[in-house]
Amino acid sequence: MTGTKSGAEAQADPLAAPDTPFALLDVAKVRRNIARLAERVGDLGVSLRPHLKTAKSLEVAALVHGGEPGPITVSTLAEAEAFADGGYTDILYAVGIDPHKLPRVLALLRRGVRLSVLLDSTAQARAVREAAASAGTPIPALIEIDCDGHRGGFTLEHPSLVETGRILAGCDSLAGVLVHAGESYFADGLAEQREAAARERDVAVAAARKLRDAGLEVGTVSVGSTPTAHAATDLTGVTEVRAGNYVFFDLVMAGLGVCDVHDLALSIVVTVIGHRPERGWLLTDGGWMAMSRDRGTAGQRVDQGYGLVTDLAGAPIPELVMTGASQEHGVLSTRDGTAPPELPIGTRLRILPNHACATAAQHAGYHVIDAGETAIRGYWKRISGW
Amino acid sequence: MTGTKSGAEAQADPLAAPDTPFALLDVAKVRRNIARLAERVGDLGVSLRPHLKTAKSLEVAALVHGGEPGPITVSTLAEAEAFADGGYTDILYAVGIDPHKLPRVLALLRRGVRLSVLLDSTAQARAVREAAASAGTPIPALIEIDCDGHRGGFTLEHPSLVETGRILAGCDSLAGVLVHAGESYFADGLAEQREAAARERDVAVAAARKLRDAGLEVGTVSVGSTPTAHAATDLTGVTEVRAGNYVFFDLVMAGLGVCDVHDLALSIVVTVIGHRPERGWLLTDGGWMAMSRDRGTAGQRVDQGYGLVTDLAGAPIPELVMTGASQEHGVLSTRDGTAPPELPIGTRLRILPNHACATAAQHAGYHVIDAGETAIRGYWKRISGW
């Protein structure tokens, strides 16, 4: 465990030591979440390309791949560069490529990193072709395919899909196709998630077939999202699965039934700094700067406010919810309007977040504990910026 | 201007140079916003203690105080320490004090910084008394008073208000009272804002009187929020005004009528990376990681989505709104559902944010331009963490 302190030092850093608010990672839960998906994906006979946009941490990435650099997905070139520095050589940058960023892509390719880009237009494919020609090197590119109208990607019927494949193939840059079932984040329950997973796979395989029917070679057929990766029962024709949120999980995923609240590995430690008994409020020093403004459970069956509350050891405090936030203040109150527990000023609590990707991004790194421990084992830095 | 490049270098860094997304600050607008409030507060005969939680920048703070360190407000001890390093010696930490943080407060006091803390309980006052006694130094403390039920603070009638004052006075630590009209962020129009400002002042003055009537000395009577600071017409009995957002302004403030959209000094530069004409969407590389999840205009008369769109030079593109966001993708579409303008892949745009405090916090610093210029004049780092 990088950053782990020796036994004696660890005892000197209990959970009560760092000033609040801070991000806390339970590495035993991270390992359990990783093992669960690894087993599932192994059973389905495909490889896993974890999306590191949630954790943005070399130490977490090492846990996913058993300590050896393996295939990964990233959301920024800053992540790609940091993971390349950490020895990763097979990286997918899964945001539609801005032609302006191709020089940084080429710089990574020159370093021996197989960095793949993503695109869904002939304009981007032509930019890739020009950059590849002037650099004298192919730029591996995946064509994004849309399966549910969530965001980007060609529909299967789009008239430019095959033309884009031809442009890329003409400069040895056609790596394959990619689908992301983004709407699965609203698929409530296993039945809907299975349907989303089947559609994601069907569309990816159909797109690959369409390109192959046009005489093009399609190596990678990439699918994935945390809900569909856990729900898929058949991935015939798919070569790899992506998922990111699952390493930490969060209340949105618990609300969909993808995980249980006890699986949440990330929490924010806060301190009670005030009481407003006449309003039923406890005030804390963890506001939206510590939690993010994400209210992802607002549209779910149970709105969890800005997060659920546990004691410092992680035991849930029933009915207590973070219901309000300003920049550096959190408001805790009970779901049923009864008086909150009497917690003195200075009491430390943990808040379980709606959306781990957004909450983690508010912090420079994670204080790390192992199962059931109250001593901090290390500090894992996050990669930030673009 | 710290970080300003020489003329020749500036010409080499046009707005098209940095990879997107990035935060852009129009320093001419910052200066104008600062001058507007300075004039107003001067007319009212009180001093200004700007809240630097929005900008978190030494360079912006220097503009507020004409280059000399003056009184400031901060939201974290990390800000207090960074501004102390920058020569500031009169700092108010305006979040209810967690007793655990008093060692860092004492460390700043020992450096000769007059750091004031805020509290609203006898428990916090006793913690201050103990820390002051064991350190052998007073810890200047303001008592927080509630004027509108927004967050923390004693109500005027609270039975512990005077007792808290006595505990602090007993250890030479009673500095004064502080009120923040947090509900003024929902006060639509000047009439409501004037009412909020009058109530804020009335409550602050009444609290000071109550403590003075009990024989206690009250030096500072501090009020403020961006809406009330701009609306107040009479601040008799008040010694200082706080405001923070006003240096940048944002769409929430424009929606309340406190400023005009043309006053917004902060924007996020993004690049078009995709088209979904069948959905009326332009996709950009600026998602919630660049904008934050703040949807502060959602409850206003006009919901501005995740922000309004201008061209790279800052000219508004009528009807175009950032309507959706995932981590690294923005969705732009028109308010009336008509087709968005045909902007090629690679086109750069600016997004004006709902909430400057939240959007700025997603970035490590600001690229700075001056009025009407398209050359970047410098990079101003932000203070982060706690």
Side-chain angles (χ1 to χ4, degrees):
Chain A
M1 193 187 289
T2 310
T4 301
K5 297 193 173 190
S6 70
E9 281 178 297
Q11 284 173 20
D13 264 355
L15 267 182
D19 279 348
T20 53
F22 64 88
L24 184 67
L25 201 55
D26 184 330
V27 73
K29 292 186 179 183
V30 173
R31 282 197 209 97
R32 194 172 72 201
N33 296 340
I34 285 170
R36 177 181 162 201
L37 187 63
E39 187 177 355
R40 177 155 198 92
V41 168
D43 287 350
L44 290 167
V46 295
S47 69
L48 180 66
R49 182 185 289 278
H51 203 319
L52 292 165
K53 79 188 182 78
T54 307
K56 297 204 184 202
S57 151
L58 282 156
E59 290 86 350
V60 172
L63 293 177
V64 177
H65 282 303
E68 292 300 313
I72 59 173
T73 312
V74 299
S75 67
T76 65
L77 287 176
E79 290 166 56
E81 289 157 353
F83 283 109
D85 291 345
Y88 288 78
T89 56
D90 181 3
I91 305 177
L92 164 62
Y93 169 43
V95 175
I97 188 71
D98 164 14
H100 192 91
K101 295 185 179 125
L102 285 168
R104 282 168 75 189
V105 171
L106 286 167
L108 283 163
L109 289 168
R110 272 187 222 106
R111 286 172 60 180
V113 176
R114 184 186 158 84
L115 180 76
S116 305
V117 300
L118 185 66
L119 52 83
D120 63 354
S121 67
T122 52
Q124 286 162 305
R126 283 191 294 266
V128 162
R129 181 178 61 193
E130 282 163 31
S134 67
T137 175
I139 299 173
L142 296 171
I143 301 177
E144 186 173 7
I145 312 292
D146 172 36
C147 72
D148 58 8
H150 177 70
R151 199 164 60 198
F154 284 124
T155 54
L156 275 178
E157 304 74 28
H158 197 289
S160 301
L161 167 56
V162 171
E163 185 190 350
T164 301
R166 286 213 176 94
I167 296 168
L168 294 174
C171 57
D172 291 329
S173 295
L174 178 59
V177 295
L178 175 148
V179 182
H180 168 58
E183 289 296 305
S184 71
Y185 286 83
F186 308 96
D188 190 352
L190 187 56
E192 282 187 32
Q193 289 149 22
R194 282 201 172 141
E195 205 178 307
R199 188 168 49 240
E200 188 180 51
R201 185 229 26 222
D202 289 348
V203 169
V205 171
R209 189 182 311 122
K210 192 161 185 176
L211 292 167
R212 287 172 184 145
D213 285 351
L216 302 171
E217 200 174 320
V218 177
T220 299
V221 180
S222 181
V223 301
S225 74
T226 285
T228 56
H230 289 77
T233 54
D234 176 8
L235 290 178
T236 308
V238 163
T239 64
E240 68 177 29
V241 168
R242 308 177 320 281
N245 181 285
Y246 79 103
V247 295
F248 292 173
F249 279 133
D250 54 29
L251 292 174
V252 166
M253 287 299 133
L256 297 178
V258 180
C259 68
D260 185 89
V261 168
H262 301 294
D263 297 323
L264 272 56
L266 177 72
S267 59
I268 305 302
V269 180
V270 303
T271 300
V272 175
I273 59 167
H275 300 127
R276 296 297 304 260
E278 77 281 17
R279 307 193 145 249
W281 290 353
L282 296 171
L283 297 178
T284 77
D285 65 353
W288 58 250
M289 187 67 83
M291 295 303 298
S292 90
R293 271 290 194 200
D294 199 286
R295 290 280 291 101
T297 57
Q300 293 192 328
R301 273 177 292 153
V302 180
D303 183 347
Q304 309 284 24
Y306 283 92
L308 292 182
V309 185
T310 79
D311 67 16
L312 187 57
I317 301 180
E319 297 304 304
L320 199 60
V321 180
M322 181 172 164
T323 46
S326 47
Q327 186 160 339
E328 299 292 350
H329 294 79
V331 176
L332 311 184
S333 55
T334 61
R335 216 182 273 282
D336 59 3
T338 55
E342 286 180 24
L343 302 173
I345 302 272
T347 304
R348 293 192 164 206
L349 302 168
R350 293 192 207 171
I351 313 292
L352 300 172
N354 278 319
H355 188 175
C357 311
T359 300
Q362 302 296 108
H363 297 268
Y366 313 100
H367 289 283
V368 177
I369 54 169
D370 213 329
E373 292 183 353
T374 55
I376 291 170
R377 303 290 297 266
Y379 182 78
W380 293 355
K381 278 192 203 163
R382 278 175 54 87
I383 302 155
S384 65
W386 290 269
Chain B
M1 192 186 292
T2 308
T4 301
K5 297 193 173 190
S6 70
E9 281 177 297
Q11 285 173 16
D13 265 355
L15 268 181
D19 278 348
T20 52
F22 65 88
L24 184 67
L25 202 56
D26 184 330
V27 73
K29 293 186 178 184
V30 173
R31 282 197 210 97
R32 194 172 73 201
N33 296 338
I34 286 171
R36 176 181 161 199
L37 188 63
E39 185 177 357
R40 177 156 198 91
V41 168
D43 287 348
L44 290 166
V46 295
S47 69
L48 179 66
R49 182 185 288 279
H51 203 320
L52 292 165
K53 78 185 184 80
T54 307
K56 296 204 183 202
S57 151
L58 282 156
E59 289 85 351
V60 172
L63 294 177
V64 176
H65 281 304
E68 291 301 311
I72 59 171
T73 313
V74 299
S75 67
T76 65
L77 288 176
E79 289 165 57
E81 290 157 352
F83 283 109
D85 291 345
Y88 288 79
T89 57
D90 181 2
I91 305 178
L92 164 62
Y93 168 44
V95 175
I97 188 70
D98 165 13
H100 192 92
K101 296 185 180 126
L102 285 169
R104 282 168 74 190
V105 171
L106 286 167
L108 283 162
L109 289 167
R110 272 188 222 104
R111 287 172 61 179
V113 175
R114 184 186 157 85
L115 181 75
S116 304
V117 301
L118 185 66
L119 52 82
D120 63 354
S121 68
T122 53
Q124 287 162 304
R126 283 191 295 267
V128 163
R129 180 177 61 191
E130 283 163 33
S134 67
T137 175
I139 299 173
L142 296 171
I143 301 179
E144 186 173 6
I145 313 292
D146 174 36
C147 72
D148 58 8
H150 178 70
R151 200 164 60 197
F154 285 123
T155 55
L156 276 178
E157 305 74 29
H158 197 288
S160 300
L161 168 55
V162 171
E163 185 189 352
T164 300
R166 288 213 176 93
I167 296 169
L168 294 174
C171 57
D172 291 329
S173 295
L174 179 58
V177 295
L178 175 148
V179 183
H180 168 58
E183 289 296 306
S184 71
Y185 286 82
F186 307 96
D188 191 350
L190 187 57
E192 284 188 30
Q193 289 150 23
R194 282 201 172 141
E195 206 178 305
R199 188 167 52 239
E200 187 180 51
R201 186 240 11 235
D202 289 348
V203 169
V205 170
R209 190 182 310 121
K210 192 162 186 178
L211 291 167
R212 286 172 185 146
D213 286 349
L216 301 171
E217 198 175 319
V218 176
T220 299
V221 180
S222 180
V223 301
S225 74
T226 285
T228 56
H230 289 78
T233 54
D234 176 9
L235 290 177
T236 308
V238 164
T239 64
E240 67 176 28
V241 168
R242 308 177 320 280
N245 181 284
Y246 79 102
V247 294
F248 293 174
F249 280 132
D250 53 28
L251 292 174
V252 166
M253 287 299 133
L256 297 179
V258 180
C259 69
D260 186 88
V261 168
H262 301 294
D263 297 322
L264 271 57
L266 177 72
S267 59
I268 305 301
V269 179
V270 303
T271 301
V272 174
I273 59 167
H275 300 127
R276 297 296 305 259
E278 76 282 16
R279 304 191 148 252
W281 290 352
L282 296 171
L283 298 177
T284 76
D285 64 355
W288 57 251
M289 187 67 82
M291 294 304 298
S292 90
R293 270 292 195 197
D294 199 287
R295 290 281 288 100
T297 56
Q300 293 192 328
R301 274 177 292 153
V302 180
D303 182 347
Q304 309 283 26
Y306 283 91
L308 292 182
V309 185
T310 79
D311 67 17
L312 186 58
I317 301 181
E319 297 304 302
L320 199 59
V321 179
M322 181 171 163
T323 46
S326 47
Q327 186 160 339
E328 299 292 351
H329 294 80
V331 176
L332 311 184
S333 54
T334 61
R335 218 182 272 283
D336 59 4
T338 54
E342 286 180 25
L343 302 173
I345 302 272
T347 303
R348 292 191 165 206
L349 302 167
R350 293 193 207 172
I351 314 291
L352 300 172
N354 278 317
H355 188 174
C357 311
T359 300
Q362 302 297 109
H363 297 267
Y366 313 100
H367 289 283
V368 177
I369 53 170
D370 212 329
E373 291 182 354
T374 54
I376 292 170
R377 302 289 296 263
Y379 182 78
W380 293 355
K381 278 191 201 164
R382 277 176 53 87
I383 302 155
S384 66
W386 290 270

